[in-house]
Amino acid sequence: MKFVNRTEELGELEKWWSKTGARLGLVWGRRRVGKTLLLQRFAKGRRRTMYHTFAGRSAADELAVLSRTWRGERRSTRQSSTWDLPSDSWTNFLAGLAREARAEPLLLILDEFQEGVAAIPELPGLIRALWDDRSGRGKLRILLCGSAMRTMEAMQEERAPLYGRFDVRLLIHPFQPHEAALMLPKLHPYDRAVVWGLVGGMPPYLDCWDQSADIETNLQELFLSPAGRLLLEGDLALRGEMLADLEVSVLHAIALGHTQYHEIQNSLHSEPSRQLERLMELRLVERVQPVTESGSRSRRRTYRIADNFLAFWLGQIMPHRASIDRGLGFAVGDAFVRPSLRDFLGPRWEEAFRIYLRRRAASGEFGPVVAVGPFWSHERPAADGSVVDTEIDAVMLAGRSREAVLVGEAKLRRVVDARPLVAALERKAERLPRRADTLRYAVAAPLEVTNAPRGVLTVTADDIFGIRGEKRKKRPTYVIE
């Protein structure tokens, strides 16, 4: 798989490396997010590097593998030292590494560190003991990397042995739309929007997509065949997160449209609060509420699957898994999956629009923006008690007063007439608690926004999924209408 982007993460690691003395760092994120590839790229070309991946071996076997790695690294760099690192104990091995790093930095990367902690529970304490001996750790640089979110985040808590000792902490996120685009250079930006909406921002999933084939072929080969790579990956993704049965049931409930707390509770016939908190810790589920309501006590909050791939796999593929395994995937695609693509991709296009607005806001273009998110309300302002529903895809709030400075609408239709949408946004904005006198409007469509009034921000897939400097491609291949 090719390495793209991650410039900010590499920059942080380079700054960490450039500082003097011993350094300890932590890199973590969900499995398949690209942590290992990032660390391999960072370590590339450094003269003295040891890379070890814990693999569920015994403590003695892990140490034996590390010792062999050291001997191989020493030979490959033609070091004059003939001294072998001790392999009788982890304490002596770490002390030996520090001794080797007295005069020149030495990088040790310990990947899948949660597996190491499972085999050697005392390992964080041993690293702490070495780190607290300032005179004995030399110029040793250690990066601990892992995919068990709870374990890696617990290492940073106050009672953890290594609390306060990390010089860099990097949480690796899936690619955002503009980053995912770099994995799909042969596609039209509109087509990239479709692919990101289906498989999300995990680099290996994006790498699976055949850019020379149409969407039907990719869906058939990746999801709708018994040996489909992403069909099987869904199972691996859930197992890799080590989820309890109730947590998996919560994911299924949300993916099937039970997005409110009481709906999830009724689906499970059980109180889901602990499971929801756990899934949010793992960044598999997001709690969504109107952007104008801060805090977590909103009665209008809903829940969504945070990862596009899991949302598609759980909601569109898993209900038909038995038929797919029996070789009926093509019929399943025709009857269920392809007809529902537009409804599924609509919310993902809206989220891509919000992510784009956040990126623009980070430059200071819209003032001191503090939040960008959706807004909805259900009110009874009329005398007859009728309910007025208001939904706005994106509201940008600025300043301490959190007043709206921009409201936006995103439509998945290829070409959108902005004039009626802006008129509707003007009416909807009246339901916002606070809004600026010079409220701006934005309209997004995958290919083109027409008839935009003066001052309206228009956004297309070129803006969100375009690659700087690329030549404009012909018409998109995929048709989602």
Side-chain angles (χ1 to χ4, degrees):
M1 186 177 69
K2 61 184 176 182
F3 181 88
V4 301
N5 199 46
R6 298 298 186 200
T7 53
E8 292 184 9
E9 293 89 342
L10 283 172
E12 289 296 319
L13 290 172
E14 289 293 346
K15 284 196 297 184
W16 173 81
W17 178 263
S18 66
K19 296 177 181 177
T20 59
R23 295 285 150 189
L24 184 63
L26 185 69
V27 177
W28 80 105
R30 289 177 51 206
R31 64 180 299 276
R32 311 291 274 166
V33 79
K35 304 179 298 298
T36 298
L37 205 59
L38 169 68
L39 294 179
Q40 288 173 345
R41 173 56 64 97
F42 169 68
K44 187 177 181 179
R46 302 194 188 278
R47 202 175 77 84
R48 304 211 305 166
T49 299
M50 293 180 62
Y51 198 114
H52 177 71
T53 301
F54 288 102
R57 310 178 189 92
S58 68
D61 286 344
E62 296 284 8
L63 192 53
V65 171
L66 255 174
S67 297
R68 288 197 296 271
T69 301
W70 164 255
R71 290 194 290 272
E73 189 275 339
R74 194 186 62 200
R75 286 193 299 270
S76 66
T77 55
R78 294 185 175 89
Q79 295 183 46
S80 58
S81 171
T82 59
W83 185 70
D84 281 333
L85 290 175
S87 58
D88 57 330
S89 73
W90 279 89
T91 299
N92 290 338
F93 181 84
L94 291 171
L97 275 182
R99 172 181 168 178
E100 285 294 307
R102 283 180 183 173
E104 183 181 355
L106 189 156
L107 175 62
L108 172 65
I109 299 174
L110 298 177
D111 204 351
E112 297 299 342
F113 190 69
Q114 72 277 354
E115 298 287 343
V117 173
I120 314 132
E122 69 275 13
L123 185 55
L126 297 178
I127 295 175
R128 178 188 63 183
L130 173 67
W131 233 246
D132 289 349
D133 180 9
R134 293 182 175 273
S135 62
R137 61 192 190 187
K139 298 179 180 179
L140 182 61
R141 315 287 170 86
I142 300 179
L143 282 174
L144 309 179
C145 177
S147 55
M149 300 290 285
R150 179 171 289 181
T151 300
M152 302 305 290
E153 290 177 350
M155 290 173 57
Q156 304 169 63
E157 296 173 357
E158 189 171 358
R159 294 184 179 181
L162 294 173
Y163 172 74
R165 291 166 176 82
F166 294 110
D167 304 295
V168 67
R169 295 181 293 177
L170 282 181
L171 172 59
I172 309 302
H173 295 280
F175 282 154
Q176 292 190 356
H178 67 288
E179 299 166 325
L182 299 173
M183 298 285 297
L184 306 165
K186 298 179 182 178
L187 295 184
H188 187 281
Y190 174 93
D191 297 333
R192 294 170 192 157
V194 172
V195 177
W196 179 82
L198 294 174
V199 305
M202 291 296 192
Y205 304 165
L206 292 163
D207 197 50
C208 286
W209 196 271
D210 184 352
Q211 298 177 61
S212 64
D214 59 25
I215 188 170
E216 288 80 9
T217 301
N218 273 287
L219 287 174
Q220 185 66 36
E221 294 185 354
L222 296 176
F223 290 100
L224 299 173
S225 300
R229 184 171 174 182
L230 294 185
L231 175 68
L232 303 175
E233 183 62 34
D235 295 319
L236 296 174
L238 292 184
R239 285 203 296 269
E241 301 293 350
M242 296 180 288
L243 300 177
D245 290 343
L246 265 181
E247 292 165 350
V248 174
S249 297
V250 169
L251 285 175
H252 280 283
I254 297 173
L256 292 175
H258 305 297
T259 59
Q260 297 186 20
Y261 186 89
H262 71 275
E263 294 174 342
I264 302 169
Q265 187 178 30
N266 292 339
S267 176
L268 267 64
H269 305 291
S270 175
E271 175 68 37
S273 57
R274 290 180 59 186
Q275 287 75 31
L276 285 168
E277 290 297 327
R278 159 80 166 147
L279 292 169
M280 286 189 288
E281 286 177 7
L282 294 174
R283 292 171 174 79
L284 297 178
V285 167
E286 287 180 347
R287 180 166 49 209
V288 184
Q289 61 193 41
V291 68
T292 52
E293 299 183 10
S294 57
S296 59
R297 296 184 179 181
S298 171
R299 292 184 178 181
R300 291 188 283 176
R301 64 189 180 190
T302 62
Y303 297 88
R304 65 181 291 268
I305 305 295
D307 180 83
N308 290 349
F309 165 74
L310 276 181
F312 182 67
W313 187 82
L314 288 167
Q316 307 297 315
I317 301 299
M318 272 303 290
H320 314 289
R321 180 65 181 273
S323 296
I324 295 171
D325 286 340
R326 293 185 177 99
L328 301 176
F330 192 86
V332 166
D334 275 350
F336 301 105
V337 177
R338 295 180 188 91
S340 66
L341 281 181
R342 189 177 185 280
D343 289 339
F344 176 81
L345 289 171
R348 277 79 206 169
W349 172 245
E350 294 167 9
E351 180 61 15
F353 174 50
R354 288 189 286 267
I355 292 171
Y356 172 76
L357 291 178
R358 292 186 192 109
R359 289 182 59 216
R360 290 280 295 265
S363 67
E365 177 181 352
F366 302 99
V369 173
V370 296
V372 176
F375 171 83
W376 67 92
S377 67
H378 309 285
E379 301 176 3
R380 290 185 172 86
D384 62 0
S386 60
V387 176
V388 176
D389 289 339
T390 301
E391 293 186 11
I392 305 176
D393 294 336
V395 176
M396 187 180 291
L397 304 180
R400 189 169 184 176
S401 63
R402 294 173 64 87
E403 69 173 8
V405 295
L406 179 144
V407 293
E409 194 82 7
K411 297 296 183 183
L412 193 58
R413 296 193 302 272
R414 287 186 165 201
V415 179
V416 167
D417 185 344
R419 199 167 294 278
L421 287 180
V422 172
L425 279 172
E426 290 173 346
R427 294 191 297 271
K428 293 178 181 180
E430 294 176 0
R431 305 290 178 196
L432 293 169
R434 287 174 293 276
R435 56 188 182 276
D437 294 335
T438 55
L439 185 65
R440 290 191 63 182
Y441 300 92
V443 176
L447 281 187
E448 185 182 3
V449 178
T450 63
N451 298 322
R454 185 185 179 94
V456 171
L457 174 65
T458 60
V459 179
T460 67
D462 275 329
D463 300 307
I464 302 175
F465 289 91
I467 299 174
R468 181 177 296 179
E470 71 176 339
K471 294 181 179 179
R472 183 169 294 277
K473 293 179 171 58
K474 297 179 180 179
R475 305 291 290 178
T477 304
Y478 309 150
V479 179
I480 307 295
E481 289 290 356

